[in-house]
């Protein structure tokens, strides 16, 4: 491959997501095609994972502005799993307080908690401690947050 025409390939011939052009990926992420949407999220995740900052910023913006399509929001949350920043963690904790738990939203909220549990503890412990003491949540939910603090994991049927 000619590195001049395809700079997103290394001279050894390996694909480097950090060098891949982002404009078309961003358009796919906000387009109406579900397959392109999911593919774009995976690519943005890979680009961020390989050192680019702007895909993570874009994904954060998507989560803030996306409609209430809970399946798509879950996909955005999963793509954000590599964005291990305080801004991302803070957004996830705000989402836990913003979205009322119901049969419709429960899987989405659980997806957020699963991603948070895998984030660096120094980023998430203060948030879980605050939730464990927050009367906004039911005693059952506060106990679950306390269990996360004690055990550091989320059981499949815990939420």
């Amino acid at each position: 491959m000619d590195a001049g025409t395809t700079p997103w390939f290394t001279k050894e011939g390996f694909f480097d997501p950090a060098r891949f052009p982002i404009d078309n990926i961003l358009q796919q992420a906000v387009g109406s095609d579900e397959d392109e949407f999911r593919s774009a999220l995976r690519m943005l995740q890979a680009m961020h994972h390989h050192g680019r900052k702007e895909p993570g910023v874009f994904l954060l913006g998507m989560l803030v502005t996306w409609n209430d399509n809970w399946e798509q929001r879950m996909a955005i949350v999963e793509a954000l799993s590599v964005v291990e920043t305080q801004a991302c963690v803070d957004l996830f904790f705000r989402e836990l307080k913003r979205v009322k738990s119901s049969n419709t939203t429960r899987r989405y909220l659980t997806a957020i908690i699963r991603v948070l549990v895998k984030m660096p503890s120094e980023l998430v412990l203060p948030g879980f401690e605050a939730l464990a003491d927050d009367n906004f949540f039911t005693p059952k939910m506060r106990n679950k947050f306390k269990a996360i603090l004690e055990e550091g994991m989320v059981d499949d049927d815990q939420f």
Side-chain angles (χ1 to χ4, degrees), residues 8-70:
W8 48 89
F9 283 97
T10 65
K11 59 184 169 188
E12 297 83 14
F14 296 105
F15 177 68
D16 183 358
R19 298 182 190 171
F20 195 76
I22 198 169
D23 289 349
N24 286 340
I25 302 300
L26 300 179
Q27 290 173 355
Q28 289 175 1
V30 297
S32 59
D33 184 281
E34 186 71 21
D35 290 336
E36 286 185 0
F37 165 79
R38 292 185 183 279
S39 176
L41 292 182
R42 286 189 298 274
M43 184 59 146
L44 290 167
Q45 183 182 40
M47 293 168 111
H48 181 84
H49 183 73
H50 283 85
R52 286 183 76 171
K53 300 299 179 219
E54 64 272 28
V57 172
F58 184 81
L59 289 166
L60 288 168
M62 282 183 75
L63 189 62
V64 168
T65 61
W66 210 251
N67 61 36
D68 286 346
N69 178 324
W70 302 111

